[in-house]
Amino acid sequence: CGRPALVLAHNKTLAAQLYHEFKSFFPENAVEYFVSYYDFYQPEAYVPAADIYIDKEATINDELDKLRMSATRSLFERNDVIVVASVSCIYGIGSPEAYYGQIVLLEKGQQISREAMLHRFVDIQYERSEDLRRGTFRVRGDMIEIYPPYQDQGYRIEMWGQQIEALRQIDPLTGEVPAGQEDLPRVSIYPKSHYVVPQDQKERAIQSIYAELEWWKRELEKQ
């Protein structure tokens, strides 16, 4: 019907099986996989009798994180999306409006300074690194390479002064442009994480935290 569909499974194993089956049943659709990205998770705890605090421990699976981010991107870009998910999809991952509002749109011929572009990448939580890996970007003169966390390909942005001269898809391991690959007219760079917050909202939250801190300080001093 050209509308997104959500298929819920009660565990990761069944969800993975359904995901692979749906990919073969619907080869033209965007079939995505959205499950918890934790391989191991231990919540923080406190044992009053022994006065022991146990810190939270967690191990994140990068491949599962990539698939979650891919599902999010597909929902913004396509209607023929089938998301196979475990019950972890019921937990909030932030505001869709805030997430979509942080997307960096790049077009061939666009006027933008290199510094402004790099600031935008940092704003959406990408890190600068000489080792190009998921969620990072690197700068080599007038050439910027970025590796989004939701796919297996990266992008090369070639600048001429303050204008984007070319946008190309690259292999992030070799840095090579695939054979026969034409320049891209435009590229959308989605945030590195679902948990992005606009700067003004972040400032309001910080001020609220400081105000609550002062209130609790007075309360604790009374006690």
Side-chain angles (χ1 to χ4, degrees), residues 18-31:
L18 291 172
Y19 167 66
H20 290 293
E21 289 178 355
F22 279 126
K23 283 183 74 72
S24 63
F25 292 157
F26 304 100
E28 302 301 321
N29 290 61
V31 180

Side-chain angles (χ1 to χ4, degrees), residues 12-50:
K12 287 183 181 180
T13 304
L14 179 57
Q17 180 182 340
L18 291 172
Y19 167 66
H20 290 293
E21 289 178 355
F22 279 126
K23 283 183 74 72
S24 63
F25 292 157
F26 304 100
E28 302 301 321
N29 290 61
V31 180
E32 304 287 355
Y33 186 61
F34 193 100
V35 300
S36 170
Y37 53 30
Y38 290 116
D39 281 337
F40 171 77
Y41 184 84
Q42 174 183 285
E44 61 183 356
Y46 176 65
V47 183

Side-chain angles (χ1 to χ4, degrees), residues 25-216:
F25 292 157
F26 304 100
E28 302 301 321
N29 290 61
V31 180
E32 304 287 355
Y33 186 61
F34 193 100
V35 300
S36 170
Y37 53 30
Y38 290 116
D39 281 337
F40 171 77
Y41 184 84
Q42 174 183 285
E44 61 183 356
Y46 176 65
V47 183
D51 192 24
I52 294 176
Y53 169 73
I54 302 172
D55 202 357
K56 180 179 75 174
E57 286 188 47
T59 305
I60 292 177
N61 185 307
D62 287 337
E63 184 64 20
L64 293 181
D65 189 36
K66 181 195 82 170
L67 293 170
R68 287 165 61 93
M69 300 296 294
S70 176
T72 305
R73 180 186 61 164
S74 290
L75 287 168
F76 279 116
E77 296 186 349
R78 303 176 60 164
N79 289 323
D80 60 340
V81 183
I82 301 171
V83 179
V84 181
S86 66
V87 292
S88 67
C89 73
I90 68 175
Y91 296 101
I93 53 173
S95 162
E97 293 79 13
Y99 181 84
Y100 189 74
Q102 296 292 317
I103 295 172
V104 178
L105 301 174
L106 303 173
E107 292 189 9
K108 186 175 180 180
Q110 178 181 343
Q111 294 286 334
I112 182 173
S113 70
R114 190 186 74 158
E115 289 71 23
M117 187 187 303
L118 300 183
H119 277 299
R120 288 291 291 118
F121 291 158
V122 172
D123 285 344
I124 59 174
Q125 301 185 12
Y126 285 77
E127 299 175 14
R128 184 169 179 172
S129 172
E130 282 304 308
D131 177 24
L132 195 63
R133 59 188 186 279
R134 286 194 176 99
T136 67
F137 65 91
R138 66 185 174 197
V139 182
R140 295 177 173 176
D142 289 335
M143 186 173 68
I144 303 163
E145 294 175 338
I146 187 165
Y147 188 3
Y150 44 81
Q151 60 186 41
D152 293 324
Q153 301 81 34
Y155 296 111
R156 177 174 295 151
I157 306 152
E158 297 179 15
M159 306 289 295
W160 178 260
Q162 296 197 10
Q163 178 175 301
I164 297 177
E165 186 177 41
L167 293 166
R168 297 189 173 97
Q169 199 169 72
I170 61 168
D171 182 326
L173 293 178
T174 64
E176 296 179 355
V177 178
Q181 178 73 249
E182 297 182 356
D183 287 4
L184 303 170
R186 64 187 59 84
V187 168
S188 299
I189 306 296
Y190 286 75
K192 177 185 176 182
S193 167
H194 287 122
Y195 305 99
V196 288
V197 179
Q199 187 61 34
D200 59 338
Q201 185 177 340
K202 189 184 298 182
E203 289 297 329
R204 289 197 302 272
I206 290 171
Q207 294 306 316
S208 174
I209 290 169
Y210 276 130
E212 185 177 358
L213 176 65
E214 287 300 316
W215 184 88
W216 273 109

